[in-house]
Amino acid sequence: MRFPHLPRRSVLLGVVLAPFGVAACSQQDKPVAPAPPHTTSTTTAPPPKPRVTGAGLPADLLGTMTALYLGGKVPASGAVAAALAKRTPVKAPPKVVGSTGSWKGTPVASVATGKDLTLLVKGSNGWTVVGGWWPGLKVGRPAMKPMRVLAIGSDARSGQPVTKCRADALHIIGVDPTKGVGGIVGIPRDSWVALSSGGSGKVNSALVFGGVTGMVHTVSRATGVPIDGYVITGFKGFRGMIGALGGIVVVSKSSLQSVDGFRIVKPGTNRLDAKHALAFARERKHLSNGDFGRSANQGVLIRSGVAMAQRLGPGQLARLLSKMGPYLATDLSVTEVLNLSASLYLSPVAKIANKVAPGGVGTRAGQSVVLLGGGARSLFADMRNGRLGA
């Protein structure tokens, strides 16, 4: 049979579909169940849980901050844990600012929001809160004792041991983690004192004969001020710190010339690089009060460092410590370093007293020395509690 009216392609299509057509026809007498109606099921995702946010901060750190502010379990110990147990959580998670870093190999963080500051250390189990203050959570500051820290600047040159050279700078810094910096007391390096290693000599030689331990014992015995810890650096470390900070700003009342023939500072505001900052800390020949003036200028540098930290804000503390850590040696724990450093933000720089132990100039063992007298003893007695004038 021929189908003149059907195109050849249609015929081929019919042949291909024929088996399906036969099957359909063979079932036409049976009832066909209606197709079930098409339904669309929708699942509503739960809203995301509120979380503290902060640009550039790691997720696990923000998780700890979320628990702190929204009422979760917060790893802490001692006085910090006791204080945080009384906190009043907030309803809306805050935005925070902060930084992370490392202090002697231990990860650290400082996180700020409003007037709150949280200090943290990271261990094998995550972040732990080790200090801070939280008026936003209606929490009083954890009770921490004042400390008196001996800052030592060794005159060690490149390749020399920092802890076995003369001490070019000596300052007792009183620090109260709950109230701020209690003051700075400079000790002229040529002060004639009894050495812990035996005999008498210039106080700066105690580092040569007894190392850091001998230096600390000598200063404590000579002043009557209990020393709770020390920090020490040398010329190389000092230059490294100044370089890492991008220089340091010093305000001077007068011009100061170096014995090496260049001007160190001019009257007014000066941004000193490492070379000029070190010269400012060491110059005495062009100062009318010599060793006493040099010690006072070293205190000026300490206060200038505090001012720089304050301008950056407490959230940047961890980053600053990370930059300075490689250039300092200390017997202070990482928790102590964080809390003592944070106290810098509690004291207006103008109210941080910078004093130098007074004395006269004399001769001992053929050397020109500083002889500390009653004025020095009164100053040291004032510093025993870590707060000048308190």
Side-chain angles (χ1 to χ4, degrees), residues 284-298:
R284 67 187 177 101
K285 297 293 186 181
H286 287 102
L287 294 173
S288 60
N289 51 355
D291 204 21
F292 301 97
R294 170 169 56 186
S295 186
N297 280 346
Q298 292 164 354

Side-chain angles (χ1 to χ4, degrees), residues 164-183:
K164 295 296 290 183
C165 292
R166 293 175 304 176
D168 211 41
L170 290 168
H171 296 269
I172 302 173
I173 305 174
V175 186
D176 187 334
T178 63
K179 296 179 180 179
V181 180

Side-chain angles (χ1 to χ4, degrees), residues 34 37 47 52 61 118 147 171 339 362:
V52 168
L61 176 59
T118 305
M147 298 182 71
H171 296 269
N339 281 283

Side-chain angles (χ1 to χ4, degrees), residues 40 56 82 138 147 154 163 174 224-225 238 287 294 296 317 361 383 386:
T40 302
K138 300 179 181 178
M147 298 182 71
S154 168
T163 58
V225 178
F238 181 84
L287 294 173
R294 170 169 56 186
L317 177 60
V361 177
M383 191 54 156

Side-chain angles (χ1 to χ4, degrees), residues 171 184-188 291-297 299 354-359 372 375-376 379-380:
H171 296 269
I184 305 166
V185 172
I187 304 173
D291 204 21
F292 301 97
R294 170 169 56 186
S295 186
N297 280 346
N354 173 33
K355 298 187 177 182
V356 177
L372 302 174
L379 180 61
F380 296 147

Side-chain angles (χ1 to χ4, degrees), residues 150 152 162-165 167 170 194-198 203 205-222 225 227-232 329-331:
L150 181 62
I152 308 168
V162 171
T163 58
K164 295 296 290 183
C165 292
L170 290 168
L195 302 176
S196 64
S197 56
V203 68
S205 67
L207 191 62
V208 177
F209 298 123
V212 176
T213 300
M215 184 82 259
V216 169
H217 288 166
T218 295
V219 169
S220 185
R221 281 171 43 179
V225 178
I227 302 298
D228 302 295
Y230 70 84
V231 291
I232 184 171
T330 183
D331 61 346

Side-chain angles (χ1 to χ4, degrees), residues 17 68 70 109 113 125 141 174 190 268 282 290 296 338 350 359 387 390:
L17 295 178
L68 173 65
L70 299 187
T113 178
N125 295 322
R141 289 175 186 154
D190 292 338
R282 301 198 67 229
L338 278 170
R387 295 192 64 81

Side-chain angles (χ1 to χ4, degrees), residues 73-106:
K73 184 178 180 181
V74 179
S77 61
V80 176
L84 292 180
K86 300 176 183 178
R87 74 191 189 277
T88 301
V90 298
K91 294 182 179 179
K95 290 184 178 181
V96 300
V97 295
S99 62
T100 57
S102 175
W103 178 263
K104 306 302 180 184
T106 299

